[in-house]
Each structure stands twice: as C-alpha cells, then as structure tokens.
Amino acid sequence: MKDDTKKPMKVILAQPRGFCAGVVRAVEIVERALEKYGPPVYVRHEIVHNKHVVEGLKAKGARFVENLSEIPADAVTIFSAHGVAKSVVDEAAARNLPVLDATCPLVTKVHNQGKRYVAQGRTLILVGHAGHPEVEGTMGQIDGPVHLVQTEKDIDTLEIPTDEPVAYVTQTTLSVDDTRGIIAALQRRFTDITGPETRDICYATQNRQSAVRDLSKLVDVILVVGAKNSSNSNRLREIGSESGIPSYLIADGSELDPDWVKDARVVGITAGASAPDVLVEDVIEALRRLRNVDVSTLDGRQENIEFRLPAELAAVVASPASADPA
Ligand code: SF4
C-alpha cells in the first residue's frame, strides 16, 4: 500500500541506459523482415537477451529457435545480435536459407580482428565468459584454436609458450575496466603480444558502466532493469554492488521487492543494453505504487551512434504498430 506520509522518493535515471545501437538494429531487422516477407520469420537464438522484446516479436510472428534444423526450407532466417559460428553460416548456406544477419557490427569487428591476428601467425586468446553465445560465435569464426580466458587465474593454465606470438580479443560486453587486469597479466606472461586499441571495446558497455558508477555516488539503492541472462546487465548490477550500493537486477516492475527501497531516500535506475525504456517506466510505476516519486535523469553522455541496416531492409518502413518492440 502506498505510504503518503513520507517525503517523495527521489528516483535518478542513469544516462545513458538501455538500448544500444546494436540492439536497436537487431530488433529493427526482425520487425522489417516481418513487414517485408510476412510472418513467420525464424530467429536463431533470442535476438537480444530480453524476454519482453522476444515475446513482443513472437506476438508479431517471429519464431525463435536454437538450431537451424528447426527452420523449414526457404524460411527467412535471422542471426541474433550476438553473432554465430562459421559452421552456422555454412549450414545456412548449404541449405540455401535466405539469411539476414543481425550480428552487431561491433561483434563482427571482433571476429575480423581475431581472423587478422590468426592470419599474421599469432595464437588467439579470447577474454570472455564461457557459454555466452557471443563467445561461442567468436570462437567458431576463427580457424584454428582459440584459448578462452575468463579470469586472471586462467592465464596460469594456458599451455602456450611464453615467447609464442599471441594476440587477444575481448567479448564486447566486458568493458575496458573489466578486462584491464586480465590484459595486464597477459602482457606480463607473453613477450610478443598484441591486442586491439581500447577504442575497439563496445562504446555502449563502457558508457553504461561509467554511468552506473556516477549513479552510485548519489543513491541509496540501484535497480538494474535487465534479463538474468544478459551479460551486460549482470555486470551493471555487480558494479553497483562493488561501489557499496545495494543493487538488484530486475526484469520489470513486478519483480520489485518493497523491502529493497523501504528506507531509501534516493533510488537509482539503469538498464542493460537489451532492456527497452518501457521496462524502466514499468519499474518507476511500481515505485509509484509504494510512494510518491520525483524522477530526474543524470547528466551523462549522449549517444548518437546508428548502425546501417542490411541493404534489402533499408527501404522497408516498419508499421507504426510494429515500431515499438514492446
Ligand atoms: S552491447 Fe555493444 S556489442 Fe552488444 S549489441 Fe550493443 S553495441 Fe553491439
């Protein structure tokens, strides 16, 4: 029940938060494909890691599968924003499936970088989380062995001579800060090592992490809106906690536990790169049902990055009803 006796709760929204350019592009590819080719269109893996977005697209006729074998002949096939292994690309080509690739261009850039290093004769090390679809895709794009490193400790077990030429690439949803320690340890271990400039790290990941650090200086509690399987959303929650602020990852307002905010004067909200703003609104509404709230947005970096759509979809206009991934 709403408590009107207390002062309004201050709610501060991180800036930037939520959808990044890669997610906007991926969702738009599914929407425009539905518009141009009609339902169903088939998407390999969740197009982005957000149930709300996936359910919204399902309602419009998208079908989500984990294996290409589940896709009928000739059906429009979309690869998710996380990217896919070469074996998946080859399987789709062998079956002549009409493919639209929603792999984020920044993920493709990592694939290309890894391939270039291997072509230069270097052994490749990938810094990332085992089992994440982006990591599986990147490992599967490279001919030859790729050594996965998740923590500094993993470096001790690498069976690579210290004078062998090596190179590293990183999962895009880790940030410069996440990888700094691991990369420094790799540089100590190997005498001939190279890697991308820091500018190659995903801008959206870095910006959202910087914003949650700024937010943590001003608030008593942080709510991160995002899915449990979203790597970058989990990382935002961890950064909040590491900054000493109780931080909770929630999919939407229905998951808000009133106990988390009962004594809070200021609540900070951010959202992972795959969480739409409508879910942030939903969380604010849930707070409003407890107390009066006063919402403001932190000053922060404005993002104006857009990624080009595949040529065959560029001229398609998604209907107003389908423009909202909710
Ligand atoms: S988080 Fe970064 S790499 Fe991932 S989809 Fe968004 S822009 Fe691309």
Side-chain angles (χ1 to χ4, degrees):
M1 199 185 186
K2 188 161 162 174
D3 182 353
D4 290 322
T5 59
K6 285 192 181 177
K7 275 171 92 180
M9 178 193 289
K10 264 186 94 175
V11 172
I12 305 181
L13 307 179
Q15 171 63 35
R17 62 179 184 281
F19 272 16
C20 60
V23 165
V24 169
R25 174 178 181 270
V27 172
E28 190 119 326
I29 286 174
V30 181
E31 302 224 329
R32 290 190 185 208
L34 284 165
E35 193 73 24
K36 179 167 177 177
Y37 304 109
V41 299
Y42 287 78
V43 185
R44 186 188 175 278
H45 195 67
E46 291 185 347
I47 185 74
V48 298
H49 283 157
N50 190 280
K51 193 166 160 269
H52 183 86
V53 172
V54 168
E55 292 301 323
L57 292 171
K58 260 189 204 168
K60 292 170 190 165
R63 295 199 185 153
F64 293 86
V65 299
E66 285 307 312
N67 294 302
L68 294 190
S69 58
E70 300 166 63
I71 300 176
D74 302 324
V76 172
T77 300
I78 301 173
F79 295 154
S80 80
H82 313 95
V84 295
K86 203 163 160 293
S87 57
V88 176
V89 177
D90 293 346
E91 187 185 342
R95 288 191 53 202
N96 267 327
L97 290 171
V99 168
L100 291 162
D101 190 357
T103 303
C104 176
L106 298 182
V107 174
T108 304
K109 190 171 171 181
V110 172
H111 294 171
N112 292 338
Q113 194 128 33
K115 288 175 193 168
R116 270 199 302 276
Y117 288 139
V118 170
Q120 290 164 8
R122 292 182 177 273
T123 297
L124 195 66
I125 296 167
L126 170 61
V127 182
H129 295 305
H132 190 278
E134 181 188 326
V135 165
E136 286 174 359
T138 302
M139 293 182 83
Q141 280 284 338
I142 310 291
D143 290 330
V146 180
H147 300 265
L148 182 64
V149 165
Q150 301 189 74
T151 63
E152 281 183 48
K153 258 196 180 154
D154 293 345
I155 298 172
D156 299 336
T157 60
L158 285 176
E159 289 184 358
I160 310 172
T162 53
D163 59 350
E164 187 162 309
V166 298
Y168 63 85
V169 290
T170 63
Q171 184 179 335
T172 55
T173 43
L174 303 177
S175 71
V176 178
D177 302 319
D178 297 331
T179 56
R180 189 173 286 125
I182 296 177
I183 290 168
L186 285 170
Q187 284 165 337
R188 283 195 298 274
R189 159 101 188 235
F190 295 102
T191 53
D192 182 2
I193 181 165
T194 189
E197 301 289 329
T198 49
R199 62 185 156 77
D200 290 338
I201 297 263
C202 165
Y203 79 97
T205 300
Q206 190 64 33
N207 289 350
R208 278 151 193 69
Q209 293 189 2
S210 301
V212 85
R213 274 195 190 92
D214 292 344
L215 191 66
S216 70
K217 293 176 193 139
L218 304 170
V219 302
D220 304 312
V221 179
I222 293 177
L223 304 174
V224 178
V225 185
K228 302 276 181 290
N229 62 342
S230 159
S231 173
N232 75 89
S233 304
N234 277 293
R235 195 65 192 101
L236 293 176
R237 192 204 60 73
E238 283 166 22
I239 289 171
S241 296
E242 284 161 16
S243 309
I245 305 299
S247 302
Y248 304 95
L249 178 63
I250 53 174
D252 56 35
S254 71
E255 293 189 358
L256 177 74
D257 181 339
D259 274 353
W260 297 339
V261 293
K262 70 175 189 316
D263 297 320
R265 287 172 304 112
V266 190
V267 174
I269 304 182
T270 186
S274 43
D277 228 32
V278 64
L279 296 179
V280 173
E281 289 298 328
D282 193 54
V283 171
I284 295 171
E285 277 312 308
L287 289 170
R288 238 181 223 129
R289 286 194 285 276
L290 301 174
R291 295 232 308 263
N292 290 328
V293 300
D294 172 13
V295 183
S296 61
T297 302
L298 206 62
D299 275 344
R301 196 180 285 263
Q302 296 297 329
E303 293 176 339
N304 51 12
I305 292 181
E306 275 180 39
F307 294 133
R308 204 175 307 151
L309 289 163
E312 59 267 53
L313 296 180
V316 178
V317 179
S319 68
S322 68
D324 175 7

